[in-house]
Amino acid sequence: MPAPSDPGPGSRRPGGRTARTRAAVRDAVLTGLAEHGYPGLTVEFVAERSGVHKTTLYRRWGGLEGLVADALDLAGEDGWTPPDTGTLAGDLRALAREVCDSFADPAAAAAPTAFVAAAFQSERAADALRAFYAERFGRCEAVVERAVERGEAPPGTDAGAVVRAVSAPLFLRLFVTREPVDAELADQAAAAALAAVHAGAFTGARR
Amino acid sequence: MPAPSDPGPGSRRPGGRTARTRAAVRDAVLTGLAEHGYPGLTVEFVAERSGVHKTTLYRRWGGLEGLVADALDLAGEDGWTPPDTGTLAGDLRALAREVCDSFADPAAAAAPTAFVAAAFQSERAADALRAFYAERFGRCEAVVERAVERGEAPPGTDAGAVVRAVSAPLFLRLFVTREPVDAELADQAAAAALAAVHAGAFTGARR
């Protein structure tokens, strides 16, 4: 699962001037978040970097919170699809590895980390982050649904819980306990989630 | 597992004036974090609230980052011990429920949430948070070690990974995906970790 900064292969949309402006502004927001974090990001920086006038930014995005929220919305409009390796074990491992890889390079991790940080300070950023991950994990559920069809997972398996369980140990270490993550840890998280699926731990009538 | 703001039953230390000053400053930091978050916390607020002069705060704590780091250090000096219900299933469920309960009340959750947020902005806060959780999860490992002794978990089970796996789905939702957590989700996280333990998913030669 790519982090929210990753424009991804499907993100280049035809669009006219408006779409290009939006993408330029989004890129400037990502650069600003990566370089300065949310507390250091300013509308002035976005204006200078994107070449879009400050008054236009305020008129169309309302201000900093709106700019950050829109950058997240746009990040969610990529063409990313979850792995399809043919087995649930392979798919869960690939998902976990993608999370790990997204944050392995500090420069690449800076903007998505800044989005997570921004959500602590801005209710609008929090709403946008919630929507981003709801949609992103929603796409991931296909992995579990296919496994149920193949008979690799019990019917009624809570797909949303499974795909979150795979990523959770990585996100915990990245953003809460501040410990290193690596491919071995990703594989462990995937193996644990897989074992729990097989044992029926995700088939409770939750929600 | 209580959140870092919880002084806990064992935290009242005899100590003299220095210990009392430190506790008063810590309380002021927690109140400030709860009310204003890390971005809104000031040394002035801590001075006013604690009754300790600003110059003393700067001399002894260096400034805001030092104050936040020390409040976290002090939070880690409580007498908390992990649950001991007699079974691994019961202990993991109790651990997950404690995380859930710590963040159920928005007022009680404000300060620990602010610590997690502060770590995004301050390297010193991040170091203190890392140390806090390393020590806290270290205490939790007793739960798994007792289970291995009782024959409820395979020898060589990675206790640190298990106790993190139980909390991770809750922390993911609290701080990244910004979704609600409840006792049912806590139980699901505990059941998934337990199933993974039984399946030997945590016995790899990791690290």
Side-chain angles (χ1 to χ4, degrees):
Chain A
M1 201 173 68
S5 78
D6 191 339
S11 67
R12 200 166 303 152
R13 303 182 305 159
R17 205 162 69 92
T18 303
R20 280 199 304 277
T21 299
R22 193 180 170 207
V25 168
R26 185 264 319 266
D27 290 348
V29 170
L30 292 178
T31 303
L33 286 175
E35 287 180 9
H36 308 291
Y38 183 69
L41 186 68
T42 60
V43 175
E44 285 71 19
F45 178 93
V46 177
E48 196 164 313
R49 189 83 186 195
S50 66
V52 176
H53 201 278
K54 230 174 81 168
T55 52
T56 307
L57 295 178
Y58 276 110
R59 194 178 63 243
R60 286 188 39 198
W61 282 272
L64 209 52
E65 287 191 294
L67 284 164
V68 169
D70 191 53
L72 255 170
D73 288 348
L74 201 50
E77 293 177 17
D78 65 3
W80 184 83
T81 53
D84 188 6
T85 64
T87 66
L88 181 58
D91 287 355
L92 295 183
R93 199 161 43 231
L95 274 178
R97 293 253 183 143
E98 272 197 53
V99 173
C100 198
D101 292 347
S102 298
F103 293 97
D105 172 22
T113 301
F115 277 124
V116 176
F120 285 93
Q121 290 176 51
S122 154
E123 204 45 64
R124 266 188 86 179
D127 288 342
L129 196 68
R130 186 183 300 115
F132 174 84
Y133 276 115
E135 197 275 334
R136 189 56 48 127
F137 278 117
R139 289 192 222 179
C140 293
E141 291 179 15
V143 154
V144 180
E145 287 153 9
R146 288 193 302 254
V148 172
E149 283 165 26
R150 286 191 302 255
E152 283 188 275
T157 296
D158 182 343
V162 174
V163 295
R164 281 166 180 77
V166 170
S167 312
L170 301 164
F171 282 118
L172 172 78
R173 285 165 174 90
L174 287 165
F175 299 134
V176 183
T177 65
R178 307 249 158 209
E179 297 167 292
V181 299
D182 57 22
E184 210 181 340
L185 182 66
D187 291 355
Q188 187 189 58
L194 181 71
V197 167
H198 286 159
F202 292 110
T203 53
R206 183 173 152 67
R207 309 219 187 276
Chain B
M1 200 173 69
S5 79
D6 190 341
S11 68
R12 200 165 302 154
R13 303 182 306 157
R17 203 162 69 90
T18 303
R20 280 200 304 276
T21 299
R22 192 179 172 208
V25 168
R26 185 263 321 265
D27 290 348
V29 170
L30 291 178
T31 304
L33 286 175
E35 286 179 10
H36 308 291
Y38 182 69
L41 186 68
T42 60
V43 174
E44 285 71 19
F45 178 93
V46 177
E48 196 165 312
R49 189 84 186 195
S50 66
V52 176
H53 202 277
K54 228 173 82 169
T55 52
T56 308
L57 295 179
Y58 276 111
R59 196 178 61 243
R60 284 186 42 198
W61 281 272
L64 208 54
E65 288 191 293
L67 285 164
V68 169
D70 191 52
L72 255 171
D73 288 347
L74 200 51
E77 293 177 15
D78 65 2
W80 183 84
T81 53
D84 188 5
T85 64
T87 66
L88 182 58
D91 287 355
L92 295 183
R93 199 161 44 232
L95 274 179
R97 293 253 184 143
E98 272 196 53
V99 173
C100 197
D101 292 347
S102 298
F103 293 97
D105 172 22
T113 302
F115 277 123
V116 176
F120 285 93
Q121 290 176 53
S122 154
E123 204 44 64
R124 266 187 85 179
D127 288 341
L129 195 68
R130 186 183 300 116
F132 174 85
Y133 276 114
E135 196 278 331
R136 190 55 49 126
F137 278 118
R139 288 191 223 179
C140 293
E141 291 180 15
V143 154
V144 180
E145 287 154 9
R146 287 193 303 253
V148 172
E149 282 165 26
R150 286 190 303 255
E152 282 188 276
T157 297
D158 181 344
V162 175
V163 295
R164 282 166 180 76
V166 170
S167 313
L170 302 163
F171 282 118
L172 172 78
R173 286 164 174 90
L174 287 164
F175 298 133
V176 183
T177 64
R178 308 248 159 210
E179 298 167 290
V181 300
D182 57 22
E184 210 181 342
L185 183 66
D187 291 354
Q188 187 189 59
L194 182 71
V197 167
H198 286 160
F202 291 111
T203 54
R206 185 174 149 67
R207 310 220 187 276

